């Protein structure tokens, strides 16, 4: 995946410089410098469609990437040329699911929810990770995008972070031996089912059993 | 053969007159009178499935390393309580079916109680002589909510553990005696000593079910003694009761309801997943998950706790009333106090101290219907506020904005509901229309 | 639906509803099949969904059979009964008379009854020892494993190198050797930029090089305050804070744990930390306040 930094710079000047500056050193109050953020950051933000962002004050949400694969590679190559961490190689299949569960619960579940169905934090939304690739999970944890905390090497080694990425893959389709899993959201849809399916069915039953003369 | 049985009972117990009376016992059988029976049969399913669960669940906080079927938790340290629940769900044949049926039964049980209570209040069945039974029923309601909370907290999973911490904080927040009560219940500071889990267990499987069974028996005995109310109609007066005989029609129909309740609950228990504790993992005081909610019948309390502004009352520097008291203890106290005092309040405000055996249609008493509607809408708004975080997430609203919305709504909406319902009741009363079929 | 008053004897007045009877039999047959299916599945393929469907359907078919039988097969017998007379004014007087009879010849009735108050005092006496639990409860709730010099460790009991924590990171830590589940144990350590810190004057030395530590247990209702928001770029995002996922109490990490949103009644207690000779984090004392939810003994 080798992009062309020159073409990337041209794309940058068209789509990004209005916020990040002509020299990619940022515009104070609008957007940060891209020097030193590395190809890893560019890959994360661009491949999840979080960048380009129309309004710099809004929360960058996952959308369709704005560029085709070639353009993405070029842009990433350009930002990468400004220095910083390169794109990580993440092989989730060789990591530990059990360790991943433990680490995810400890470090991630409080915001992302135990099976990464997302949630809120005062002042921001926490996305689900249902579409995240292992590489994107890894990159996000190291970057700490928007208001997400960062996780350094000392606290979460590469292997541990890969295990978390493996767990996130599992969490997309967790084991639900109990039947219809109600989107794995939790007790709220369970309560809805109790009333709108369980109790409603029984109301229909007693309508049939009892009398309904207009009193 | 039946003659032989009747003779057997009569020769030993003198039972023939009683049996005859029982067989001809009269049931006014409007369909809304069967709401309480749904709750009753859900209770039966709870006890039956609950007994099965006690054969497998281990109420112990002893720590073990899990090596069972569920891969993501293999090698994890957890309590025996959690592990036995995992094994029941993944290894015991039919174990997950029984666990889920039990949990669905609890949710439907409380839902049926709420509908039954609404029916009682809206039809004026809470008037003398049935105010006594309203107290019994309201107590059952409170016990059912607490029993459910205790039950789903037994497996020591992350979600219910968070709920227990909150319960502890609410108890702790009771003025003056809270600290002592909490330390007494938990055997120390939260999460307490090993004694807490068995204590919770014996409360859930023995103490409260016994109390509830006794109260249910009293509840039914009072109905039998007083005979059930009936709607006004041809041949129906305040001094008689007209309806189906127990034998054969009503007995079969009631039996049908028992099987229907059990059937629906087992269908839910097999087909719709509930409380997947393996996804939450074991509880740790230092861990949490987002989107944490209690079961629906505790939702009104989490709503109150979230809506409450950060009020605390200090006296001489001591925290006399910590914040969780208002949402977690005072709010339910007010709601239940209103339910207990409702019959007396109704008598006072209407000036009606007479005995009533005939029911009202909701439209026949616009003030009563409007007041009850307003009261329940207040609780319902606070209940909805409990799911604010899910509403914020799925509809992309600001969480802080929703907090303010619900604070205002919880005050404004009951008034709006009161006036709308009173007006609607008056109109329906005058025009005699069916509320859903408005063809003039 | 035909109805008749219950008669003691007489010729049958009602036709049989053959169709309803047949339907009942069919439903009972379905019940049997579903029930047998459940038994077979239990041994052959005990899948939760199949078992639940089989047993649930068996019960539903049985319910349907009883419904049809109860409404169409058997006669609908309507009965009218009289309600019991509930108020017996004369008997009420007689009850009072019988009770009063029990006091016949007893001269000091009122004093004896008042003496029943002695029982009340005895009851209070039996309960009095309970009062000593109050100060005891306060002592139990105020205990803390944190001391000056206590090493901070991770969940796997490893020491925490101060230099290993990056800006924007949140680490969960415990006192070495203590029970991790004790609610005074878990703390969160975050690193902010030193210029972001705005601690109260007496706590200036509590945060070496931008590393601050707070209790992880929410002062509202005891959940783990484990949501952390730290902006990658300050001007366009909310400031650093920890948030509790239960009721969303939000505490500032730069400002001594001050509550900035939510129902919590007080700040998150801060733990003074310092870096020891090996570069690891150690506690420099106990918390600034009592960790966990408040009780009466918590002073402002």
């Amino acid at each position: 995946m080798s992009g062309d930094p020159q073409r990337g710079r041209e794309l940058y000047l068209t789509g990004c410089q209005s916020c990040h500056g002509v020299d990619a050193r940022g515009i104070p109050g609008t957007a940060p410098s891209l020097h030193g953020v590395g190809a890893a950051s560019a890959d994360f933000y661009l491949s999840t469609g979080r960048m380009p962002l129309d309004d710099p004050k809004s929360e960058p949400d996952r959308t369709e990437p704005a560029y085709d694969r070639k353009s993405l590679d070029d842009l990433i190559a350009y930002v990468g040329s400004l220095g910083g961490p390169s794109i990580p190689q993440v092989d989730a299949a060789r990591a530990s699911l059990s360790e991943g569960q433990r680490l995810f619960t400890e470090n991630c579940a409080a915001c992302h929810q135990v099976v990464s169905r997302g949630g809120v934090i005062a002042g921001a939304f926490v996305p689900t990770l249902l579409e995240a690739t292992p590489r994107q999970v890894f990159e996000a944890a190291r970057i700490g995008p928007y208001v997400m905390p960062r996780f350094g090497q000392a606290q979460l080694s590469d292997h541990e972070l890969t295990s978390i990425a493996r767990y996130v893959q599992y969490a997309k389709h967790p084991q639900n031996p109990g039947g219809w899993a109600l989107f794995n959201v939790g007790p709220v849809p369970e309560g809805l089912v109790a009333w709108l399916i369980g109790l409603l069915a029984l109301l229909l039953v007693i309508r049939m059993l009892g009398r309904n003369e207009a009193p | 053969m039946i003659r032989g049985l009747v003779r057997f009972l009569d020769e030993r117990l003198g039972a023939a007159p009683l049996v005859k009376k029982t067989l001809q016992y009269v049931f006014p059988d409007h369909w809304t009178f069967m709401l309480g029976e749904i709750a009753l049969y859900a209770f039966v399913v709870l006890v039956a499935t609950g007994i099965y669960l006690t054969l497998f669940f281990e109420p112990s906080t002893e720590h073990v390393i899990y090596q069972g079927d569920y891969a993501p938790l293999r090698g994890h340290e957890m309590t025996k309580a959690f592990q036995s629940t995992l094994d029941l769900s993944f290894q015991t044949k039919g174990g997950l079916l029984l666990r889920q049926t039990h949990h669905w039964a609890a949710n439907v049980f409380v839902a049926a109680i709420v509908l039954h209570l609404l029916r009682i209040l809206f039809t004026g069945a809470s008037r003398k002589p049935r105010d006594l039974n309203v107290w019994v029923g309201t107590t059952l309601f409170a016990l059912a909510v607490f029993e459910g909370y205790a039950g789903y907290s037994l497996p020591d999973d992350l979600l219910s553990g968070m709920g227990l911490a909150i319960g502890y904080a609410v108890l702790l927040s009771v003025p003056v005696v809270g600290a002592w009560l909490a330390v007494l219940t938990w055997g120390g500071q939260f999460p307490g000593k090993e004694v807490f889990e068995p204590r919770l267990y014996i409360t859930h499987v023995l103490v409260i079910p016994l109390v509830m069974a006794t109260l249910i028996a009293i509840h039914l005995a009072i109905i039998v003694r007083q005979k059930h109310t009936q709607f006004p109609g041809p041949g129906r007066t305040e001094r008689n009761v007209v309806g189906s005989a127990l034998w054969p029609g009503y007995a079969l129909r009631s039996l049908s309801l028992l099987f229907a309740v059990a059937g629906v609950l087992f269908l839910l228990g097999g087909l719709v997943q509930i409380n997947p504790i393996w996804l939450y993992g074991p509880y740790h005081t230092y861990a949490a998950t987002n989107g944490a909610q209690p079961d629906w019948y505790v939702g009104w309390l989490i709503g109150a706790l979230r809506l409450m502004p950060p009020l605390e009352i200090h006296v001489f520097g001591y925290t006399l009333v910590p914040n969780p008291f208002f949402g977690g203890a005072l709010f339910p106290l007010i709601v239940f106090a209103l339910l207990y005092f409702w019959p007396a309040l109704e008598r006072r405000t209407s000036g009606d101290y007479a005995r009533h055996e005939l029911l009202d249609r909701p439209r026949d008493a616009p003030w009563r219907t409007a007041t009850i509607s307003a009261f329940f809408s207040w609780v319902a708004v606070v209940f909805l506020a409990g799911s604010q975080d899910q509403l914020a997430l799925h509809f992309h609203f600001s969480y802080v904005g929703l907090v303010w919305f619900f604070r205002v709504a919880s005050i404004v909406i009951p008034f709006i509901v009161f006036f709308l319902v009173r007006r609607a009741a008056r109109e329906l009363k005058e025009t005699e229309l069916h509320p859903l079929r408005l063809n003039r | 639906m035909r109805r008749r008053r219950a008669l003691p004897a007489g010729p049958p007045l009602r036709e049989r509803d053959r169709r309803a009877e047949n339907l009942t039999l069919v439903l009972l047959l379905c019940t049997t099949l579903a029930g047998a299916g459940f038994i077979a599945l239990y041994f052959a393929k005990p899948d939760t969904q199949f078992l639940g469907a089989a047993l649930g359907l068996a019960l539903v078919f049985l319910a349907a059979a009883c419904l049809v039988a109860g409404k169409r097969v058997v006669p609908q017998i309507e009965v009218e009964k009289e309600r019991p007379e509930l108020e017996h004014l004369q008997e009420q007087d007689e009850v009072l008379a019988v009770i009063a009879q029990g006091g016949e010849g007893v001269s000091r009735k009122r004093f004896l009854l008042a003496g029943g108050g002695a029982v009340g005092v005895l009851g209070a006496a039996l309960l009095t020892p309970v009062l000593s639990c109050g100060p005891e409860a306060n002592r139990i709730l105020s205990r803390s494993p944190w001391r000056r010099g206590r090493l901070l460790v991770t969940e796997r009991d490893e020491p925490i190198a101060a230099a290993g924590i990056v800006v924007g990171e949140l680490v969960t830590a415990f006192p070495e050797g203590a029970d991790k589940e004790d609610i005074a144990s878990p703390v969160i350590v975050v690193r902010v930029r030193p210029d972001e810190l705005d601690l109260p004057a007496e706590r200036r030395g509590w945060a070496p090089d931008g590393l601050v530590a707070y209790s992880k247990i929410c002062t509202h209702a005891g959940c783990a305050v484990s949501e952390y928001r730290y902006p990658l770029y300050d001007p366009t995002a909310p400031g650093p804070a920890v948030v509790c996922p239960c009721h969303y109490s939000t505490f500032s990490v730069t400002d001594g744990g001050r509550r900035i949103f939510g129902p919590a009644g007080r700040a998150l207690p801060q733990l003074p930390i310092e870096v020891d000779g090996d570069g690891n984090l150690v506690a420099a004392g106990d918390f600034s306040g009592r960790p966990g939810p408040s009780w009466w003994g918590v002073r402002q």
Side-chain angles (χ1 to χ4, degrees), chain B residues 245 247-250, chain C residues 2-4 14 69-78:
Chain B
W247 179 261
Y250 201 83
Chain C
R2 271 145 256 159
R3 301 179 192 190
R4 61 174 167 86
R14 190 177 154 271
K71 292 200 90 165
R72 302 230 314 263
V73 174
V74 297
Q76 302 301 307
I77 303 175
E78 190 169 282

Side-chain angles (χ1 to χ4, degrees), chain C residues 103-191:
Chain C
E104 235 172 73
V106 179
S107 61
R108 295 200 181 86
K109 265 186 275 220
R110 284 220 188 93
F111 289 113
L112 285 171
L113 281 173
V119 175
V121 175
L122 176 62
L126 288 168
L127 287 173
T128 326
V130 151
L131 288 174
S132 61
C133 293
E136 175 74 8
N138 195 39
R139 207 177 49 77
I140 294 172
L141 294 169
S142 305
R143 280 200 294 244
S144 165
W146 291 102
R147 307 267 175 281
R148 187 188 191 94
R150 201 77 181 264
L151 191 67
L152 274 74
V153 294
T154 64
E155 207 208 348
R156 276 154 294 171
D157 296 314
E158 290 154 357
I160 302 172
I165 306 180
V166 303
V167 172
E169 184 154 23
L170 177 143
V171 179
T172 300
F174 307 87
E176 185 183 29
D179 176 13
K180 299 195 173 69
E181 304 288 345
D182 181 344
I183 59 177
S185 282
V187 296
I188 46 173
V189 182
V190 298
R191 184 190 285 279

Side-chain angles (χ1 to χ4, degrees), chain A residues 27-33 45 56-58 99 102-103 106-107 110-112 119-124 126 143-156 160 176-180 205 207-211 213, chain C residues 1 3 47-49 63 66-67 71 76-78 154-156 158-161 163-172 216 224-233 235-239 241-243 245 248-250 261:
Chain A
I27 297 179
T30 303
S33 165
Y45 274 102
K57 292 231 182 303
S58 62
E99 259 305 273
R102 195 177 63 78
L103 290 165
E106 226 178 273
N107 294 293
C111 284
H112 285 281
V120 297
I121 185 173
V126 182
I143 299 166
Y146 193 53
V147 290
M148 177 171 159
R150 293 172 62 198
F151 295 89
Q153 289 273 11
Q155 299 311 320
L156 270 184
E160 287 170 334
N176 289 317
W180 180 31
V205 168
R207 261 301 278 243
M208 285 192 284
L209 285 171
R211 277 194 223 158
E213 74 251 334
Chain C
M1 235 180 343
R3 301 179 192 190
D47 178 85
T48 306
Q49 278 73 69
C66 290
L67 189 158
K71 292 200 90 165
Q76 302 301 307
I77 303 175
E78 190 169 282
T154 64
E155 207 208 348
R156 276 154 294 171
E158 290 154 357
I160 302 172
I165 306 180
V166 303
V167 172
E169 184 154 23
L170 177 143
V171 179
T172 300
K216 196 175 183 183
V225 184
S226 32
E227 296 190 301
Y228 184 41
R229 121 188 145 195
Y230 188 85
L232 184 58
Y233 184 63
T236 54
V242 278
V243 185
Y248 299 98
S249 291
T250 308
F261 173 75

